[in-house]
Amino acid sequence: MDRQREARISETLILEGVRAPSLLFRLFSWLAAAAASAAVAGAAGAFVLYVRYSQGLPSIPTAKDYRPPLLTEIRSSDGRLLAELFDERRKLIPYDQIPRRLIQAFVASEDKNFFDHHGFDPLATMRAAFQDAIGYHIRGASTLTQQTAKAILISAVGQKEATARKLSRKVRELILARRLEANLSKEEILYLYLNHVYLGHHAYGVRAAAENYFHAEPAQLSLAQMALIAGLPQAPSRYSPFAHPAAAKRRRAYVLRRMAEVGMISEAERAQASEEPIAVHSMEDVFHDRAPFFAEAVRRDVMARYGEERVLRGGLRIETTLDLDRQHDAQEAMLAGLTRVDRRQGYFGPLAHPSAAEAQSLMGRVSQAMGGRGLEPERYYIGLVARIEPRGQTAEIAVGNRTASLSIATTRWAHKPNPDLYYPTALIDRLQKAIAPGDVVLVRAQDRAKLLQGLDPVDRSLVPAQGSLVTLEQLPRLEGALVSVDPGSGYLSALIGGYDFDASEFDRATQSCRQPGSAFKPIVYSKAIDKLNWTMSTTLVDSPIVFDDPTTSKVWKPENYESDFKGDVPLRVALINSMNIPAIKTLAAVGPKDVAAWAHRLGITSKINEDLSIALGSSCVSLWELTRVYAIFDRLGQRVIPITIRKVTDRDGRLLEDHIAPDDAWASLEDRLAGGIASALTAPEQVVDPTTAFLTNHLLGEVVKMGTGAEASRLGKPAGGKTGTTNDSFDAWFMGFTRDLVTGVWVGYDSYAMPLGKYENGGRAALPIWLDYMQAALAGRPEQGWDPPKPDEIVWAWVDRHTGKPVAEGAPQSIKEPFRKGTEPEADNPLAPAKPVSSSGLFTMPN
């Protein structure tokens, strides 16, 4: 019955011109229905995936509001770069400043359909999904929009999560890419991409890459250079022009070929650019090369005050007080000074004494590093002592596949270290006393004419007449530190914290606490002038003295540096000759507690022991602290607060800090006016009575004219200062100043295992560094002296320079000295000697 009915229905349909559904048609209908159901299910699944993976995605920045992490710059007073601080080394560049061809290079090589698609390539994405499903890594699916989305994800959630090789990450990236396309124009997406993309060697964005590889702005790049940068996103390490120049060249050729294929450049342009050699500039490490200790001090400061996030990602501009020319002068002076002192210490031996096979291998590597070049004057090399002639006057030194001569004339300094030896008597007369064949040594190539010019006629005759010349060298084991401050503005002009920042980041200028020796004595004498009204002519007895220390049951018997005693001496003579016994008696008269408090008032923040030994500088201080003290003497009692930062602005140019002085030559007129107003509203703190400070200043000037610091008079400008040397010469100091610059220098070893030497002192080791620096820093700059801040309080009188007694004007050995009014000596009533000092105890001396 059912079959008959079915037949009738079929027949009716045929008659009416409609065919009954075939088996194939019904199968197709089923598949279509199934596909529709799958589509609905897929859409539902896609919606679920969208909801799931869109949670927590970063918001889409507009071009106006795009604020990626930016590096922070630290710059010198004249605007030169000192350091960059960053998580991602990025500098923003507006879209309209990016060269058109640089944009084309990225589009041609990374996403030729960029201007046609809607954020992703469906076929490539499906292929990537299939590869992931069967166990292959996802690859070949990212458009420029997706790469931009990926870069934004990295900044938001970190490198590891944003680059994980799994489908969920790809889905999140696709969602973000679609949002980018929906909210931004193609040009805005390119702006984000070209500022965000990682291009190797810490460079994020095309501006940072142009600086890294070519030391140029993007607009200055050639077509070949643009193509090289555009080829980096796929694999910045693999295509690094520094590490893999051949691979970088192949990748550049690919970019150029793609540009030509899509008509962005002509075939002739492609061919010409492809032939250019891979010429990139090594990245300059300005942090380590220019002023590392200063830059590190600034870094610590801003990190503490602004926080790591803002400093490393906030794009601050930190304008510092460092005078880069003076910093260079300081570094030159320190290097020369430490080398001089180090040579007087002696030769610490060769670098190695390898086997014959090891030596041959080493020289092969040296030869390879030289690249066929000869020995270049002033450059350092690793050499091998090949032969020493029997008399020990010359040696043949192999440097790679080259040879050079070493003469005894330039090597006499290389005696074995012995701190008890006097340097002139320790000089060697034969090279065998320092080196032996097979030794690996550090040498420096020399220009013959320059070398001979520095030798006396006898030594000159010992230098071989032919061939290359080298001198024996060693890296100083000594350390040194220097602090230089403009006392008017407080600007820290130069800072050196050690010989080599790479070897040790420990800052010996600010972080090291060392005994100042006699450099502490001006603090003691200034307190006596202030508290006891002592004068230049106050008599002190320089005679043996013994102190008992009840806490240790030990006896202290201090001596003068020269181990002799002068009897009655005026205060002026005691200070300029740095005599120990008068300084101790002065401290006893003032009181250790008062002197310790006075030192803290002057700027010493380190703990000061309240005992008589501090008269000789037994309590450690930092060079930074002591420089502040001498700046007060320079400024006639006004406190000088050294600063390292002139100005800080944020990424938008908003002012965060402003410490610019009104006489800042590198500041704008607006900034100088603002500095002048601030200065007028903030009176400097008068720490020391002006007359006391002037008298102390005058005494320090006498030290430079005729005392232990007399070498400083070669500066040829009004100056004051004081040497400092500790027991056994572990520390050597010179603290000195002119009207416009206060500079402190310290020299010594980090550890106390070895002293500088029996005959080293502040005047011999530290002062020459100070002098070399100050001569360069103040070259061509006139310097004024100091006038009494309160002339009515000062009386000038003629006294005998040796006794301090009043004499007639023009008398033999007479000198005109300042006195506080009412304390000047009179011919019929000279000042009485200082009262005897009790010595009942070393640490319990009464005030």
Side-chain angles (χ1 to χ4, degrees):
M1 180 67 183
D2 290 338
R3 287 183 179 180
Q4 292 177 353
R5 183 180 178 187
E6 185 177 328
R8 286 196 299 273
I9 294 173
S10 180
E11 182 181 358
T12 302
L13 291 174
I14 291 172
L15 291 173
E16 293 179 357
V18 180
R19 297 182 60 188
S22 66
L23 180 61
L24 181 62
F25 178 79
R26 282 180 288 174
L27 178 62
F28 177 79
S29 299
W30 180 85
L31 289 173
S37 299
V40 172
F47 178 75
V48 172
L49 286 175
Y50 177 85
V51 172
R52 177 181 177 185
Y53 290 118
S54 62
Q55 298 297 316
L57 283 175
S59 58
I60 300 300
T62 64
K64 180 181 178 182
D65 297 328
Y66 174 55
R67 298 177 71 81
L70 298 182
L71 63 83
T72 285
E73 293 182 334
I74 301 176
R75 293 191 171 270
S76 66
S77 59
D78 63 351
R80 285 181 279 181
L81 186 65
L82 296 178
E84 295 177 335
L85 310 176
F86 53 82
D87 276 339
E88 299 176 1
R89 187 180 182 276
R90 177 183 291 105
K91 294 183 177 181
L92 277 182
I93 181 171
Y95 183 78
D96 59 8
Q97 292 182 21
I98 304 174
R100 180 169 173 266
R101 279 196 165 171
L102 182 57
I103 297 172
Q104 290 176 330
F106 276 93
V107 171
S109 60
E110 292 294 315
D111 187 2
K112 66 178 181 179
N113 298 318
F114 173 72
F115 288 99
D116 298 322
H117 62 61
H118 298 288
F120 67 97
D121 184 334
L123 291 177
T125 301
M126 290 175 64
R127 181 174 65 249
F130 175 74
Q131 290 172 341
D132 184 64
I134 62 176
Y136 284 87
H137 293 311
I138 299 172
R139 59 180 181 271
S142 292
T143 64
L144 284 178
T145 308
Q146 287 174 268
Q147 291 183 47
T148 305
K150 182 178 179 180
I152 293 173
L153 277 173
I154 289 173
S155 291
V157 301
Q159 179 79 20
K160 183 177 181 180
E161 183 177 342
T163 58
R165 292 186 178 276
K166 51 187 180 181
L167 189 60
S168 59
R169 186 269 299 173
K170 202 69 180 178
V171 172
R172 288 168 63 81
E173 186 181 290
L174 286 173
I175 295 171
L176 194 57
R178 285 296 303 131
R179 290 181 180 179
L180 284 168
E181 290 281 348
N183 289 274
L184 303 177
S185 68
K186 291 289 186 178
E187 288 75 15
E188 288 173 327
I189 293 173
L190 281 172
Y191 165 68
L192 266 60
Y193 174 78
L194 294 174
N195 275 293
H196 224 93
V197 62
Y198 178 60
L199 297 168
H201 296 284
H202 305 293
Y204 287 81
V206 294
R207 187 179 180 190
E211 286 187 359
N212 260 22
Y213 299 116
F214 305 110
H215 293 186
E217 289 293 326
Q220 299 170 318
L221 299 178
S222 68
L223 174 60
Q225 291 170 335
M226 293 179 187
L228 186 146
I229 289 176
L232 292 172
Q234 286 289 323
S237 297
R238 189 191 315 158
Y239 298 129
S240 165
F242 294 118
H244 307 290
K249 189 172 185 177
R250 289 194 298 270
R251 181 64 181 172
R252 183 187 68 179
Y254 166 78
V255 176
L256 291 167
R257 184 173 69 251
R258 291 291 303 126
M259 293 180 75
E261 287 172 355
V262 296
M264 293 176 176
I265 59 174
S266 67
E267 182 60 29
E269 288 175 314
R270 183 204 65 78
Q272 181 179 355
S274 294
E275 291 301 316
E276 284 190 23
I278 299 294
V280 289
H281 300 286
S282 59
M283 292 176 290
E284 186 179 11
D285 187 353
V286 292
F287 184 98
H288 290 83
D289 292 345
R290 294 190 175 170
F293 288 101
F294 178 88
E296 174 60 16
V298 172
R299 186 199 68 81
R300 290 196 305 266
D301 178 25
V302 295
M303 281 286 194
R305 293 190 292 115
Y306 289 97
E308 184 174 306
E309 174 71 17
R310 194 167 191 186
V311 172
L312 297 182
R313 301 169 69 86
L316 303 180
R317 180 183 172 92
I318 302 168
E319 300 177 26
T320 72
T321 62
L322 187 85
D323 185 319
L324 203 49
D325 291 331
R326 285 183 174 174
Q327 178 69 20
H328 177 75
D329 294 336
Q331 290 168 342
E332 290 289 316
M334 182 62 70
L335 177 60
L338 288 182
T339 300
R340 285 193 299 265
V341 181
D342 184 72
R343 287 196 168 194
R344 294 200 294 267
Q345 302 295 290
Y347 184 54
F348 290 96
L351 301 176
H353 191 92
S355 67
E358 291 170 334
Q360 184 177 5
S361 174
L362 174 63
M363 287 300 100
R365 295 196 298 273
V366 171
S367 179
Q368 184 177 10
M370 292 173 65
R373 298 184 299 274
L375 299 181
E376 302 174 24
E378 301 304 320
R379 289 200 63 175
Y380 288 84
Y381 296 93
I382 298 297
L384 180 72
V385 180
R387 183 178 69 85
I388 303 176
E389 60 92 17
R391 295 183 304 128
Q393 303 302 288
T394 60
E396 181 182 299
I397 308 296
V399 182
N401 58 3
R402 309 276 177 168
T403 59
S405 295
L406 173 69
S407 172
I408 186 64
T410 60
T411 319
R412 297 189 188 280
W413 63 272
H415 63 86
K416 292 183 178 180
N418 185 342
D420 292 328
L421 290 178
Y422 181 48
Y423 174 70
T425 65
L427 300 178
I428 65 172
D429 55 3
R430 298 173 67 244
L431 289 172
Q432 288 90 336
K433 294 182 178 181
I435 57 176
D439 283 349
V440 174
V441 294
L442 180 66
V443 296
R444 183 168 54 170
Q446 296 291 334
D447 175 78
R448 177 177 295 276
K450 186 176 179 180
L451 177 67
L452 294 176
Q453 186 178 9
L455 298 175
D456 60 41
V458 174
D459 280 341
R460 200 176 299 148
S461 66
L462 298 176
V463 177
Q466 302 294 327
S468 300
L469 300 176
V470 294
T471 51
L472 184 67
E473 305 291 336
Q474 69 181 1
L475 296 178
R477 297 188 179 187
L478 279 171
E479 291 292 349
L482 180 147
V483 173
S484 187
V485 177
D486 180 330
S489 62
Y491 283 8
L492 181 62
S493 296
L495 175 74
I496 295 176
Y499 173 73
D500 185 357
F501 182 83
D502 290 331
S504 171
E505 297 182 12
F506 181 63
D507 186 349
R508 295 153 188 86
T510 63
Q511 297 175 316
S512 181
C513 196
R514 306 287 297 214
Q515 293 180 341
S518 297
F520 192 84
K521 288 174 181 174
I523 297 176
V524 177
Y525 284 113
S526 64
K527 183 58 179 175
I529 292 171
D530 186 75
K531 178 182 178 181
L532 305 177
N533 243 6
W534 283 15
T535 74
M536 310 286 163
S537 293
T538 297
T539 303
L540 296 165
V541 182
D542 180 33
S543 61
I545 190 169
V546 177
F547 296 98
D548 293 319
D549 180 1
T551 62
T552 63
S553 300
K554 291 184 179 181
V555 174
W556 182 44
K557 186 178 180 181
E559 294 183 351
N560 290 321
Y561 183 76
E562 299 294 343
S563 298
D564 61 355
F565 303 96
K566 304 295 185 183
D568 290 355
V569 293
L571 183 151
R572 171 183 165 276
V573 171
L575 179 59
I576 68 174
N577 291 311
S578 201
M579 300 166 71
N580 289 340
I581 305 304
I584 294 170
K585 292 182 175 180
T586 301
L587 177 69
V590 173
K593 287 186 178 180
D594 277 4
V595 170
W598 182 252
H600 290 312
R601 177 176 174 82
L602 295 179
I604 301 297
T605 56
S606 299
K607 183 181 183 300
I608 301 294
N609 298 325
E610 296 178 358
D611 60 65
L612 292 180
S613 69
I614 62 173
L616 307 186
S618 64
S619 282
C620 73
V621 299
S622 73
L623 180 61
W624 176 265
E625 293 173 301
L626 204 54
T627 304
R628 292 175 59 185
V629 172
Y630 278 77
I632 289 175
F633 296 145
D634 180 271
R635 293 291 291 175
L636 302 182
Q638 292 182 352
R639 187 180 300 283
V640 176
I641 302 176
I643 60 172
T644 58
I645 296 174
R646 299 159 61 242
K647 186 177 181 180
V648 179
T649 51
D650 67 10
R651 64 191 296 162
D652 300 311
R654 290 188 295 252
L655 184 66
L656 303 179
E657 289 184 48
D658 186 1
H659 311 289
I660 288 177
D663 59 348
D664 189 326
W666 296 104
S668 66
L669 176 60
E670 180 182 0
D671 284 340
R672 292 201 303 272
L673 288 174
I677 294 172
S679 179
L681 296 175
T682 308
E685 180 186 1
Q686 191 73 36
V687 183
V688 178
D689 171 75
T691 299
T692 296
F694 174 76
L695 294 173
T696 305
N697 178 296
H698 179 80
L699 279 168
L700 294 173
E702 297 288 276
V703 173
V704 166
K705 289 178 182 177
M706 59 191 74
T708 57
E711 181 74 6
S713 63
R714 291 177 48 207
L715 182 63
K717 303 175 188 295
K722 184 68 185 72
T723 55
T725 311
T726 60
N727 287 340
D728 297 319
S729 299
F730 280 109
D731 300 271
W733 303 69
F734 185 75
M735 310 298 300
F737 54 85
T738 65
R739 184 76 173 267
D740 296 326
L741 202 59
V742 182
T743 301
V745 175
W746 168 85
V747 173
Y749 291 103
D750 278 341
S751 73
Y752 291 99
M754 178 177 175
L756 291 174
K758 187 174 181 180
Y759 298 94
E760 295 291 346
N761 53 46
R764 184 171 168 83
L767 195 158
I769 297 173
W770 181 92
L771 181 60
D772 286 351
Y773 165 69
M774 294 289 279
Q775 285 176 329
L778 297 175
R781 182 170 177 169
E783 292 284 304
Q784 296 180 342
W786 293 266
D787 295 321
K790 295 183 177 181
D792 293 343
E793 292 187 6
I794 293 294
V795 174
W796 293 85
W798 289 92
V799 298
D800 183 283
R801 67 175 63 241
H802 299 299
T803 67
K805 305 295 183 181
V807 296
E809 180 178 351
Q813 302 298 317
S814 63
I815 187 171
K816 194 176 184 180
E817 296 285 9
F819 295 84
R820 195 188 303 270
K821 191 173 183 179
T823 67
E824 67 274 16
E826 298 178 0
D828 58 346
N829 185 27
L831 288 180
K835 293 181 180 179
V837 176
S838 172
S839 57
S840 59
L842 174 57
F843 299 97
T844 58
M845 185 61 60
N847 287 340

